[in-house]
Amino acid sequence: MSDTPIPISATTEMAAGPDRVWDVVSDLRRMPRFSPELRAVVLLGHRNGLGQLLLGINRRGPVAWPTTSRVVRWEPGRAIAWRTRESGATWVYEIEPVDVDGRPGSRVTARRELPAYTVASRLMTPLLGGAAGHDRELAHGLAATLARMKQVVEA
């Protein structure tokens, strides 16, 4: 297993302003609707925004596992990020206003920041088919997540 995870990011343009995109991206309870791997999110406590705790349930094939995360960035209309304790990954969604076909729109960039695999990741990786394979699947999944969000935002 390499100590350096592959970079994972995806970008798409949406025919909607940043406020509309933010409404979808920042509603973390809806993330399982968009993500191929995330199956459920439970908000722990009553915070909405920076510091919010999350319990996630992920599934890949026959393997399911829980994760705990904390929102580490909350900039309404601009960016949200949460750090997952078990993997050490920070998942970032950034929104910037752009012109889409002559109308106000948004460019959304999603990425995983992960400088190195954690001990927990190293233990789970064999069950998930290896780190490189899972990273490639996560990269495709992030693009699929943005495509699904785009459908909702533009509906």
Side-chain angles (χ1 to χ4, degrees):
M1 175 181 207
S2 169
D3 284 335
T4 307
I6 65 169
I8 296 175
S9 68
T11 300
T12 192
E13 291 186 353
M14 300 183 188
D19 289 340
R20 171 70 182 128
V21 174
W22 174 256
D23 288 344
V24 173
V25 171
S26 67
D27 187 351
L28 298 174
R29 292 168 298 189
R30 293 175 76 183
M31 275 295 169
R33 176 178 179 185
F34 307 121
S35 170
E37 187 170 282
L38 183 62
R39 296 296 185 248
V41 170
V42 177
L43 303 182
L44 304 173
H46 298 289
R47 297 178 73 140
N48 188 24
L50 193 63
Q52 172 71 58
L53 295 173
L54 313 166
L55 172 65
I57 304 297
N58 296 295
R59 184 178 183 104
R60 183 175 186 237
V63 180
W65 66 98
T67 59
T68 53
S69 301
R70 180 181 299 273
V71 175
V72 295
R73 186 173 174 194
W74 182 271
E75 299 173 40
R78 297 187 58 213
I80 185 172
W82 59 92
R83 186 174 187 281
T84 302
R85 185 176 60 106
E86 293 79 8
S87 70
T90 300
W91 296 93
V92 181
Y93 288 78
E94 295 175 316
I95 306 163
E96 67 178 292
V98 295
D99 184 59
V100 177
D101 298 326
R103 297 185 181 157
S106 300
R107 177 175 299 121
V108 182
T109 300
R111 70 179 180 278
R112 178 192 70 178
E113 296 175 351
L114 182 63
Y117 296 110
T118 63
V119 171
S121 293
R122 290 176 182 278
L123 293 173
M124 281 293 294
T125 297
L127 297 172
L128 298 174
H134 190 222
D135 280 358
R136 282 190 297 275
E137 192 170 295
L138 287 172
H140 291 293
L142 202 53
T145 296
L146 287 181
R148 292 170 182 166
M149 285 180 171
K150 178 177 177 151
Q151 290 176 337
V152 170
V153 166
E154 293 181 349

